[in-house]
Amino acid sequence: MNNQDMRVVKSKKAIRDALFNILAYKPINKITVKEISDAAGINRKTFYAHYNTIEDIITEMENELVMNIDAYLKNCIISEYGINPYYFIQFINAIYSSNPQFCESIVSVHNYHFLAEKIKKVFKRQLIESLHPPEENRYITEFKVEFYLSGASSVYIDWIKQGKPCPFAELSVIIGNLILEPLFP
């Protein structure tokens, strides 16, 4: 990597880090490029050399995360563990645990559910491919997988919004029971 590339990497990292720090106390729609630039120790011209808008930073980070999840799923998790609700929730928790500040700021606190939807689409595609449903019944499988993933991810997001009122292990059991047991016995 030459010096020019290293400067780009350092500038983009500084911009991302600054955005994360500001997101801890301020909603994304209230953040300015000047704030990010000042916090990153760069000028606005440098910001605009890498991004057109603040949303471009978020989109880039989301896309990188989703690509990493897709690659991980293709390589092991579904073929190794199947579609057990517990493993799906564990995976979602691993994503959350890797950067709680980002997830809470983007996914729940500021009602930015696009990331959750992107992750769900990756899982849905991978699960359907792994199940190999007959073409004439594929839509039934797609509906079941959509219901399963939407429910699990919605409960998880609501758990974060409520301030994580129970331990994660208890949440996993609750979600597993909701998916596997009828709602009204």
Side-chain angles (χ1 to χ4, degrees):
M1 189 176 284
N2 64 34
N3 289 338
Q4 178 92 19
D5 294 338
M6 197 54 156
R7 284 194 317 249
V8 169
V9 169
K10 285 182 179 181
S11 293
K12 288 181 97 171
K13 182 178 178 346
I15 291 167
R16 286 179 172 202
D17 290 348
L19 177 58
F20 276 140
N21 292 334
I22 297 168
L23 279 171
Y25 62 87
K26 195 172 193 179
I28 193 164
N29 62 346
K30 302 288 185 192
I31 299 172
T32 66
V33 171
K34 181 174 178 4
E35 284 176 287
I36 294 171
S37 299
D38 290 347
I42 61 168
N43 61 45
R44 288 189 306 170
K45 186 176 178 181
T46 302
F47 176 94
Y48 287 114
H50 302 294
Y51 301 103
N52 292 322
T53 65
I54 295 169
E55 288 76 20
D56 289 345
I57 304 167
I58 300 296
T59 300
E60 180 181 86
M61 291 169 26
E62 285 178 354
N63 291 339
E64 287 173 8
L65 177 62
V66 170
M67 284 179 7
N68 290 336
I69 291 168
D70 191 40
Y72 181 73
L73 290 174
K74 283 179 184 171
N75 291 330
C76 70
I77 191 138
I78 292 174
S79 60
E80 190 173 328
Y81 298 111
I83 59 171
N84 183 310
Y86 181 74
Y87 295 118
F88 174 68
I89 295 304
Q90 286 289 92
F91 190 78
I92 296 300
N93 192 56
I95 293 168
Y96 172 80
S97 297
S98 70
N99 198 330
Q101 185 179 6
F102 176 70
C103 290
E104 287 183 22
S105 295
I106 300 306
V107 175
S108 65
V109 177
H110 307 299
N111 296 316
Y112 192 88
H113 296 284
F114 300 117
L115 179 58
E117 284 298 311
K118 288 178 182 180
I119 292 169
K120 187 178 77 174
K121 284 180 184 179
V122 168
F123 265 95
K124 183 176 180 179
R125 184 176 35 53
Q126 294 285 345
L127 286 172
I128 291 169
E129 286 175 16
S130 73
L131 294 171
H132 308 293
E135 198 56 45
E136 64 273 7
N137 294 332
R138 186 176 177 91
Y139 69 94
I140 294 171
T141 302
E142 289 178 3
F143 289 152
K144 287 179 179 179
V145 169
E146 177 67 27
F147 180 78
Y148 163 73
L149 295 176
S150 293
S153 59
S154 292
V155 169
Y156 190 78
I157 289 169
D158 197 45
W159 176 72
I160 293 170
K161 284 182 177 181
Q162 291 184 28
K164 301 180 235 158
C166 63
F168 176 74
E170 185 179 334
L171 176 72
S172 296
V173 171
I174 291 167
I175 291 173
N177 289 340
L178 286 171
I179 291 170
L180 298 175
E181 297 175 7
L183 183 59
F184 304 106

